[in-house]
Amino acid sequence: MPGATALAELQTTEAGLTPDEAERRLLVHGPNRLPQTPPPPWWLVFLRQSHNPLICVLLAAAAVSLAIGEMADASFILGVVLLNSAIGAVQEIRAERSSRALQGLLRVRATVLRGEAREIEAEGVVPGDIVLLESGNRVPADLRLLFSHGLEIDESLLTGESLPVLKDARWSGAAATALGDRRNMAYAGAVVARGRGRGVAVATGGGTVVGHLALDVTAAARGRPPLLVRLERFTRAIGAAVLAAAFLVAILGVTVLGHPIATMFLFAVALAVSAIPEGLPVTLTVALSIAARRMARRNVIVRRLAAVEGLGSCTLVATDKTGTLTCNEMTVARAVLPDGTELEVTGAGYAPEGEVRGAGGAVAGSPALAALAEAAALCNEASLHRSDSGWSWRGDPTDVALLAFARKAGVDRDRALADRPEVGAIPFEPERKYAATFHDDAGAVRILVKGAPEPVLRMCREGAEAALATAERLAARGFRVLAFGVGEGRAPLDPAHAPPDPDGLAFLGLAGMIDPLRPGAREAVALCRSAGITVAMVTGDHPVTALAIARDLGLASRPEEVTTGADLARGGELGPLVARTRVFARVSPQQKLDIVGAARAAGHFVAVTGDGVNDAPALRAANIGVAMGRSGTDVAREAAELVLADDDFASIPAGIEEGRVAYDNVRKVIYLLVSTGAAEVVLVVLSLAAGTPLPLLPAQLLWLNLVTNGVQDKALAFEPKEEDVLRRRPRPPGERIFDRLMVERVVLAALVIGCIGFAAWRWMLAAGFAEERARNLILLLMVLFENVQIGNCRSETKSLFRLSPLKSPILLAGTLAALLVHVAAMHLPPLRALLRTGPAGATEWLALAGLALTVAVGMEIHKRTWAARHGGGVKGAGGRGAVGGGTEQADAGSREAGR
């Protein structure tokens, strides 16, 4: 609507509100700040740890133990639950405190008209306030501009657009105009890059675009990390199996074998204790905490523990462009001299660390290059200086980029100004599309002009046609192109009157600018693809710019491969579009959210990276949200599970690697605990079927599961990575933790350990061993089986005898510690009384050690037969094999593995 209509709608005037009216509106609309969610109290974080379904199963087991008077068993289980909750709560609170944002986007000062111009806290701005803007200001509220003069605003945190947007208060357009194209609006949180303006506040706080995004973030359902999904599925299955088995055993014992109900209830409890891996929650928490520390050392900060292995599980990484793949610092990357020579300018970002190179290497002493660089330095309003902490700059991003280019070419602005002082200027105006400065040159006046190629080249005497063609070629490659000219004249005398356009200039050259790739981004994308992960760029930037970056990354090469927000707005099925598109440009935050939703609906586990407010809803909706730590906005960091401390996309492959290592170690821990627990079930069931006494008491079963296994399974969480971790396909989203390989290995290990343990138990009873002595030896045999089985757990395919224990010193120490703890329990009176144990002779030790090695023999045979059935090094069903090459191959392989 026209500005006057907007003022009438808001019941205000060009002179602004009176102080009394502003106070009244502040009471009605509330302070101008973003909606905030307070951090949860420590006790709620502690209780939240019990949401784990396995904890619920353990609590049920503790309740049953209490009901039958087994206080020792109940105490063991409750201790495990409390320890798990404490570890998880401490880790989560630390991560939350270290990464929780202050959400200070609006905590700035603003200049408003209230009878007179006055500076106030931005929180006091209300709808209807007239706000004054100038270079360097942060926009305090959503404004409808009433006046603008060369006003350019950096809206990258909202739109992803690298360059400042030129604003025009006289512009008007349809209400459906994309956010980045609304030239008569200024949005809260954006920064004025240059010029000045005046606008009326139309929305504040939660009513702003930033505020709506923050509300979307807090209200939207958070995507669930893949490990949590798989563990919940696993826990439901094991809980149902345990209840069914315990019920069946109790019924059979009472009805078929004639045992008393109390005895069979004790059997059922023993079976439940055997089958439920009581130590799993604590060990998983420890494993994920270890992985979180490893990731932190590689600049990936974990905010929520369950998200540790999320990157390793993801099949699609949807990444923002500006500030994530690129530096978010405009850089002159190409310079074209008047004779058409195109030069490469190395170095990314505003720090002038690089050089100007031609076909034969670095260019030095070129008069044409020196003249172009001097024009870039002098016709400039920015500053760039070295300080003790590095390079510092101020001003419009384009001007800063030109100063960095000039320094790379050997020209310093301060020295150049000392030689040729500025005596006048024509500031940049949208209508002119150029800026000019006038300099005293030994008594004459030199004119330097920079601007869009078309108007500047019209002022030049010759070379315009060829230069314009070159400029168009650079623009098609994604560069923002500026032209430069030099001439003689006189400085404008009256600043109030617009001077005539300069003419008769000599063409100095072109500068092609782009927001460059971050160092290592190309290699990081290639690593993701070699790991079988699809990478898609989702940005609010212009399609030409997005395509230029995509070409450098190897994501796309033709304009047809780019899908725009306008394409998405036409409707149609998003699923097929997401499947074939690798570059999305000019998309709105809602469209980005829709893309993530369509990818998840198609079966992807989606990781979203981003740094702007515009990325926050998608970050929250993804399975794993990854925010930038340095340049990322507070809202983005709040929405994410992981934060990149160095803002470097190259840290993504490191996170993928550590996530996969974490999942591998989680599988190893689960395999160890479930296989040994299942072996105890086999032992108990066989004893029940044979009518013998219980070979192990409930307290002894808990000792095996929580103490001896509990010591070494935590050491297993420290296992280093396997060599092929980044050459595998990502796990298909539907893959269960208990895939075919895991099931075969668990069943085989359980049968070997359980059957040999039962055979030894029967033999001892038949040989006249006292029941308590035989039970003591069976307990020792099970501990030795656990010591051997942990070696089998180190790799799913490699032979135990090819894995040196010295490469995993923590695991070696943990295994020895578990054995020594049990030896202590065999000799120390308090533990002997609790566990009913005693010393064993040397002959018994040797015999039991020999029996324990049988599980190693069985697993070695299985590994060889598995390799023969599944093609050597391929890790088996469910997408755990190695891959090469590109994304399409990986996608196809993953689908085949899923089938």
Side-chain angles (χ1 to χ4, degrees):
M1 59 178 65
T5 308
L7 290 171
E9 285 280 334
L10 292 161
Q11 299 179 1
T12 187
T13 67
E14 288 266 10
L17 303 171
T18 65
D20 290 342
E21 176 63 13
E23 282 293 325
R24 188 189 69 78
R25 294 192 183 193
L26 186 62
L27 292 174
V28 173
H29 297 281
N32 177 33
R33 56 171 175 248
L34 291 177
Q36 301 176 14
T37 54
W42 67 268
W43 56 267
L44 183 59
V45 177
F46 181 84
L47 291 177
R48 200 160 58 195
Q49 309 305 311
S50 63
H51 291 178
N52 185 333
L54 198 56
I55 296 293
C56 298
V57 175
L58 288 178
L59 289 173
V64 171
S65 298
L66 281 174
I68 63 172
E70 294 290 341
M71 295 299 298
D73 295 353
S75 299
F76 262 120
I77 295 173
L78 289 174
V80 168
V81 170
L82 291 174
L83 181 61
N84 174 79
S85 297
I87 293 174
V90 168
Q91 171 70 21
E92 192 168 319
I93 289 171
R94 281 179 179 173
E96 190 70 18
R97 284 178 178 172
S98 65
S99 62
R100 184 171 180 82
L102 296 176
Q103 291 194 343
L105 283 178
L106 299 184
R107 295 182 183 176
V108 293
R109 297 187 68 80
T111 302
V112 298
L113 294 180
R114 291 181 180 173
E116 61 180 3
R118 60 176 66 183
E119 190 176 61
I120 64 170
E121 289 289 337
E123 288 193 358
V125 174
V126 296
D129 260 328
I130 303 299
V131 180
L132 307 182
L133 299 175
E134 61 182 20
S135 180
N137 288 164
R138 187 179 291 278
V139 181
D142 285 359
L143 308 178
R144 167 60 163 88
L145 294 173
L146 304 172
F147 163 79
S148 61
H149 180 76
L151 183 64
E152 294 185 21
I153 296 181
D154 179 358
E155 296 179 339
S156 60
L157 86 165
L158 286 169
T159 65
E161 180 78 55
S162 302
L163 292 170
V165 179
L166 179 65
K167 296 296 183 177
D168 183 359
R170 295 168 298 180
W171 179 90
S172 63
T177 303
L179 189 74
D181 296 328
R182 299 175 187 175
R183 296 178 58 195
N184 62 359
M185 295 293 296
Y187 291 101
V191 178
V192 179
R194 68 194 304 169
R196 59 186 187 275
R198 183 174 67 250
V200 58
V202 297
T204 59
T208 63
V209 171
V210 170
H212 284 308
L213 288 170
L215 287 171
D216 288 343
V217 168
T218 55
R222 184 179 293 280
R224 300 168 71 209
L227 180 61
L228 192 58
V229 174
R230 291 184 172 100
L231 278 179
E232 287 187 358
R233 200 159 51 202
F234 161 69
T235 305
R236 284 194 298 269
I238 200 171
V242 167
L243 290 176
F247 180 76
L248 180 62
V249 165
I251 294 297
L252 287 175
V254 173
T255 59
V256 178
L257 302 176
H259 289 299
I261 293 178
T263 302
M264 290 317 304
F265 191 70
L266 182 62
F267 262 95
V269 171
L271 184 65
V273 168
S274 301
I276 297 173
E278 291 91 346
L280 184 57
V282 172
T283 307
L284 286 183
T285 303
V286 170
L288 295 179
S289 298
I290 292 165
R293 289 196 296 272
R294 286 176 173 173
M295 294 175 85
R297 287 197 293 268
R298 303 182 74 173
N299 294 312
V300 181
I301 307 301
V302 178
R303 296 186 67 243
R304 294 175 180 85
L305 206 55
V308 163
E309 60 83 53
L311 280 180
S313 291
C314 287
T315 59
L316 171 69
V317 176
T319 176
D320 183 34
K321 178 187 73 69
T322 305
T324 307
L325 292 167
T326 65
C327 298
N328 198 19
E329 294 178 2
M330 293 302 296
T331 302
V332 176
R334 293 290 184 274
V336 180
L337 301 181
D339 62 1
T341 302
E342 183 174 325
L343 305 174
E344 178 188 4
V345 185
T346 65
Y350 296 150
E353 296 164 355
E355 60 183 6
V356 183
R357 302 175 60 88
V363 177
S366 165
L369 175 61
L372 176 60
E374 185 179 68
L378 291 176
C379 191
N380 201 301
E381 298 178 11
S383 63
L384 177 65
H385 297 285
R386 184 188 287 277
S387 62
D388 293 338
S389 59
W391 290 94
S392 59
W393 50 83
R394 181 178 179 84
D396 178 74
T398 298
D399 280 349
V400 177
L402 291 173
L403 287 182
F405 159 66
R407 277 187 172 267
K408 293 173 187 177
V411 176
D412 178 77
R413 172 176 164 80
D414 292 337
R415 286 198 295 267
L417 274 175
D419 293 339
R420 296 182 175 86
E422 184 176 315
V423 295
I426 301 176
F428 178 85
E429 293 287 353
E431 296 80 7
R432 292 195 187 100
K433 296 185 179 180
Y434 75 87
T437 54
F438 298 80
H439 300 267
D440 183 356
D441 186 12
V445 175
R446 172 178 292 198
I447 307 173
L448 295 172
V449 180
K450 73 173 180 191
E454 293 85 351
V456 174
L457 291 173
R458 281 198 299 268
M459 303 174 194
C460 295
R461 295 189 301 268
E462 54 188 24
E465 187 173 338
L468 190 58
T470 302
E472 289 172 352
R473 286 197 300 271
L474 287 173
R477 288 158 55 189
F479 290 99
R480 183 192 182 194
V481 184
L482 292 180
F484 294 83
V486 61
E488 293 184 355
R490 64 178 185 177
L493 299 177
D494 184 2
H497 293 86
D501 291 340
D503 59 8
L505 303 180
F507 173 57
L508 289 177
L510 304 172
M513 290 181 289
I514 198 165
D515 182 10
L517 286 181
R518 284 184 174 275
R522 184 182 297 106
E523 293 76 9
V525 170
L527 272 175
C528 289
R529 297 180 70 179
S530 69
I533 297 171
T534 301
V535 178
M537 181 198 301
V538 186
T539 178
D541 213 339
H542 194 279
V544 174
T545 307
L547 180 59
I549 296 297
R551 283 196 183 107
D552 284 345
L553 292 169
L555 291 178
S557 57
R558 304 187 312 276
E560 307 83 64
E561 297 177 86
V562 179
T563 297
T564 66
D567 298 331
L568 297 175
R570 296 189 187 102
E573 280 292 322
L574 263 182
L577 202 58
V578 170
R580 67 174 182 268
T581 302
R582 296 294 172 265
V583 182
F584 295 88
R586 271 287 191 259
V587 296
S588 68
Q590 181 58 49
Q591 289 172 328
K592 190 173 292 190
L593 194 62
D594 293 341
I595 291 167
V596 172
R600 291 186 62 187
H604 280 291
F605 271 162
V606 183
V608 171
T609 73
D611 63 345
V613 176
N614 59 318
D615 301 315
L619 285 168
R620 187 176 180 89
N623 294 97
I624 298 294
V626 185
M628 302 298 111
R630 290 181 184 173
S631 63
T633 58
D634 299 333
V635 175
R637 288 196 295 270
E638 182 67 20
E641 284 81 16
L642 304 177
V643 177
L644 300 185
D646 57 356
D647 284 13
D648 194 347
F649 186 83
S651 297
I652 294 288
I656 291 170
E657 182 178 68
E658 293 298 344
R660 291 187 176 186
V661 171
Y663 187 74
D664 284 351
N665 288 349
V666 165
R667 276 179 63 93
K668 292 169 185 176
V669 169
I670 290 175
Y671 168 52
L672 173 68
L673 295 178
V674 174
S675 63
T676 52
E680 293 160 12
V681 172
V682 172
L683 178 59
V684 170
V685 170
L686 289 177
S687 301
L688 173 64
T692 68
L694 277 175
L696 294 170
L697 300 175
Q700 292 173 331
L701 289 168
L702 281 171
W703 175 261
L704 287 172
N705 291 348
L706 302 181
V707 181
T708 57
N709 237 8
V711 172
Q712 58 183 15
D713 63 11
K714 290 168 185 60
L716 189 59
F718 287 88
E719 187 72 5
K721 69 178 181 181
E722 297 183 42
E723 295 174 358
D724 66 340
V725 68
L726 274 182
R727 297 196 300 271
R728 303 176 192 162
R729 304 183 187 99
R731 296 182 299 279
E735 178 190 282
R736 299 178 180 273
I737 290 178
F738 262 73
D739 58 7
R740 182 177 174 183
L741 176 59
M742 177 81 86
V743 170
E744 287 188 19
R745 299 179 76 217
V746 166
V747 170
L748 177 60
L751 289 176
V752 171
I753 296 172
C755 291
I756 290 179
F758 172 70
W761 171 247
R762 284 292 299 268
W763 181 85
M764 290 178 196
L765 293 180
F769 282 60
E771 188 176 308
E772 187 165 309
R773 182 188 173 199
R775 192 173 280 127
N776 173 52
L777 294 177
I778 289 298
L779 181 60
L780 175 58
L781 175 61
M782 298 301 288
V783 171
L784 293 173
F785 268 129
E786 290 177 349
N787 294 155
V788 175
Q789 179 66 352
I790 199 167
N792 293 327
C793 296
R794 292 185 63 194
S795 175
E796 296 186 351
T797 56
K798 288 184 180 178
S799 167
L800 164 65
F801 304 104
R802 291 174 55 197
L803 300 171
S804 170
L806 299 179
K807 290 185 177 179
S808 188
I810 295 177
L811 183 60
L812 178 60
T815 304
L816 292 174
L819 182 59
L820 292 175
V821 164
H822 187 70
V823 171
M826 295 168 67
H827 292 84
L828 296 177
L831 289 176
R832 288 179 61 177
L834 176 65
L835 298 174
R836 301 179 190 178
T837 56
T843 303
E844 293 168 334
W845 270 95
L846 288 174
L848 294 176
L851 289 177
L853 289 173
T854 56
V855 72
V857 175
M859 296 313 302
E860 288 299 304
I861 293 172
H862 179 266
K863 287 178 182 179
R864 286 181 176 273
T865 57
W866 179 269
R869 284 182 287 151
H870 296 87
V874 179
K875 283 215 167 187
R880 295 179 60 77
V883 296
T887 307
E888 292 77 11
Q889 294 168 306
D891 290 346
S894 184
R895 289 192 296 271
E896 180 61 31
R899 285 196 290 273

